[in-house]
Amino acid sequence: MLLKLSFVYVFVPLYIETNHLGISSAFSYELLGTFYFESFLIFFVFFVSFISGYKFTTSSSIYFSFYRNAEVKYYVGLTFIMLVCFFIFIAMYGGIQFVLENSSRIRSGYVENKSYLASFINMFSYYSLIVLAALYALINMGKGRGKKIFFVKVCFFILLVFTLFKLFVDGGRGGLIMFLMLFLFSYNLVNDKFPVKISIVVFFVSIFIGLFGKVFLFQIFNDNGLSFSEALGKISFLDGIVKEYSHQYMSVKVILDSNAIGSRYFSDLLLWILKPFKLIGMDGVDSISYYNTYLIRGVWDSEVPPGVIAFSLYQGGVLFLLVYGFFLGFLVKFIDSTITNTMSYSKSPFTIAISVVFLLYMPFLFLNSDPALFVQWSLVYIILFLFMVFSGRLKFYKVC
């Protein structure tokens, strides 16, 4: 997280202000050269509080364990749920051809037959990630021999193909990048070492997806999509990368320019509770991303999430930035140490898969920093974890 935050709030601002390039088209170039010193002072305050929260709080003494005799039942049950939900989603939007040709419009909410219910049901098909991570861990841990491990590998391959297809149908670049990171994290937790060579490959493939996902990868089923050569001509490599992450820095400058510090009055810390009511047509529960986009573009949409620093400033200014940064540092340390304890005391394919899900989804709390969207993205896993806890399958223990 520290590396990601350093890239977003140190490298990106320096690149933009030095070269006058890399600004997302959502922002006005008139903000260039303004509030430069103030922004970096704010970033410094956040980093100090974040690192302090990590360094000066005690590590977790907790680990979690999953009832191993229930693992196979969960593999089968979650696979069944994800398949049923995916096909219901396809049916509610009129078939696979329509969904493939309109994946970007469905994702952005501009399709004519927009359905919040269909999108909610489709979220449960993301259980494929936790099953995929568990099977990958099972194979890498060498659990089982002969026909048993062969069957596991066949199931893993089928699920791998399905998950890739589903991610293309969903049309989100983040999903494909998470798919790659899943194997990286799972390998790391199984083998207790970081695969440097694989990480380099994943890094460059992720950059490719980030740059060309919208204009090429997710348009291959659409007759209006750009060819790869056309897409390449539209993007300068480094500028393209910076543009993907410039909204966090530029959002801070917009807040300073609009004098919007503290304008949300901590409402977004609670507003996420009302997000599920959108399923029944309740209005007025839009989150910080809508407000941020409105200040930037004058359009009430969720296109531009604020990032962790702008989010803090919106809620309660610099004082809240200090408190929130410290809390996030503590949270990262708690998750780090809890996963480390679990790998020491209760390593199993399913505890690895649960840990991988945490590692995949937690960055969204920092990079997009919209609690309502974070809850929306992780809701199906929250439901799953609560079910596992209350059913007694997932238990927490204290390190002796």
Side-chain angles (χ1 to χ4, degrees), residues 13 101 109 137 186 250 296 339 382 392 396:
E101 291 176 352
S186 183
M250 296 301 292
I296 293 161
I339 290 176
I382 295 172
F396 293 86

Side-chain angles (χ1 to χ4, degrees), residues 187-199:
Y187 180 92
N188 173 238
L189 294 175
V190 169
N191 298 287
D192 298 319
K193 61 180 180 180
F194 199 75
V196 178
K197 292 181 181 179
I198 299 174
S199 300

Side-chain angles (χ1 to χ4, degrees), residues 66 74 350 354 384-394:
F66 189 81
Y74 269 78
F350 216 75
I354 293 170
L384 175 62
F385 294 151
L386 289 176
F387 177 78
M388 290 191 292
V389 169
F390 287 114
S391 65
R393 296 296 183 257
L394 184 67

